Amino acid sequence: MKYHFLLSLFFIASMVPFSASAQNTPARTLHNFYVVAEAGVSQKSVKLSTWTDPIYENSSGESFGGSFGYRAIFSSGFALGLEINAASAAGTTHAFENTENITIENKAIYGNYLTLGMRFERVFLTALVGVGGTIYDSSRSINFSTIKRENEQALGLSFGATIEFGLSDDIGIRIKALYTGNERSESTNSLRLRDNSVMGGIIFHF
């Protein structure tokens, strides 16, 4: 997670010189850094690739975190940028099939995203596509034998969308929905993880 965070900061920082030079073009481009303080709910589902008909017991949990990003807003209203986010994740997921069962204790979710958006007066719509990750503890039981692991991580494709309502030039309200699909290889099969989260918060522009 640390390396993805540092890499994202490098890309965002590298766009700053572009921002300064772009303001000299006839069609004015706005450049905007922002942070978001957000809270919501998240839920994880789990499945082994060899399972055919599992039984699930999923529970949603509270999620608290934040986002940091940069976007260039062109005269047409179209916006292009980068965003990184991280949040805590609670809730427990159980999956059963025959003599096997898996329990996942959620800890955190995070991601690095390319953002594509469009501004309509005080409303801003954005699509996010990137790489998302999850941190969790797992417990897997097979025929009365249990294997426990802590602070496991998995990465995968992540995408979602946000809608932002501007209260002023500097502050707004944002709602975000994200989906992340991760897969982690385990001996003869793979563990498939799916994270869904919905979060709302306050966005600050500077």
Side-chain angles (χ1 to χ4, degrees):
M1 179 177 176
K2 177 178 68 176
Y3 297 108
H4 288 277
F5 179 80
L6 293 175
L7 184 62
S8 299
L9 287 179
F10 171 77
F11 278 117
I12 291 174
S14 69
M15 298 178 74
V16 175
F18 165 78
S19 304
S21 62
Q23 291 178 347
N24 296 323
T25 60
R28 185 167 179 262
T29 302
L30 300 177
H31 304 277
N32 173 225
F33 285 93
Y34 60 89
V35 294
V36 189
E38 48 199 354
V41 295
S42 63
Q43 186 180 73
K44 186 188 302 295
S45 64
V46 57
K47 181 181 180 181
L48 284 174
S49 59
T50 53
W51 286 3
T52 57
D53 190 25
I55 299 172
Y56 295 106
E57 293 180 1
N58 296 329
S59 64
S60 301
E62 66 275 7
S63 184
F64 302 95
S67 301
F68 172 70
Y70 163 83
R71 61 190 174 196
I73 308 171
F74 302 99
S75 57
S76 62
F78 175 75
L80 176 66
L82 295 169
E83 178 174 312
I84 57 177
N85 58 54
S88 64
T92 303
T93 299
H94 302 282
F96 309 85
E97 186 175 79
N98 299 324
T99 59
E100 287 189 75
N101 70 79
I102 294 176
T103 299
I104 299 291
E105 297 283 349
N106 296 326
K107 283 190 161 184
I109 49 178
Y110 57 93
N112 304 324
Y113 299 93
L114 172 68
T115 63
L116 305 170
M118 183 63 69
R119 184 176 64 175
F120 305 91
E121 297 297 333
R122 290 288 183 182
V123 178
F124 211 109
L125 302 177
T126 304
L128 300 90
V129 179
V131 177
T134 180
I135 302 175
Y136 60 94
D137 294 340
S138 69
S139 175
R140 181 180 175 189
S141 298
I142 308 173
N143 296 325
F144 307 106
S145 176
T146 301
I147 301 173
K148 293 184 178 182
R149 297 190 177 110
E150 294 184 350
N151 296 321
E152 291 196 90
Q153 296 192 46
L155 295 173
L157 175 66
S158 182
F159 56 88
T162 70
I163 180 169
E164 177 186 333
F165 304 92
L167 302 178
S168 69
D169 291 339
D170 300 321
I171 300 176
I173 297 173
R174 191 176 84 157
I175 300 171
K176 176 180 70 180
L178 280 178
Y179 165 86
T180 303
N182 303 305
E183 189 163 326
R184 185 182 181 92
S185 297
E186 292 195 351
S187 60
T188 58
N189 52 36
S190 60
L191 185 65
R192 298 172 181 172
L193 303 167
R194 302 292 182 264
D195 284 290
N196 293 281
S197 64
V198 177
M199 304 187 72
I202 305 296
I203 182 169
F204 303 91
H205 305 273
F206 58 94

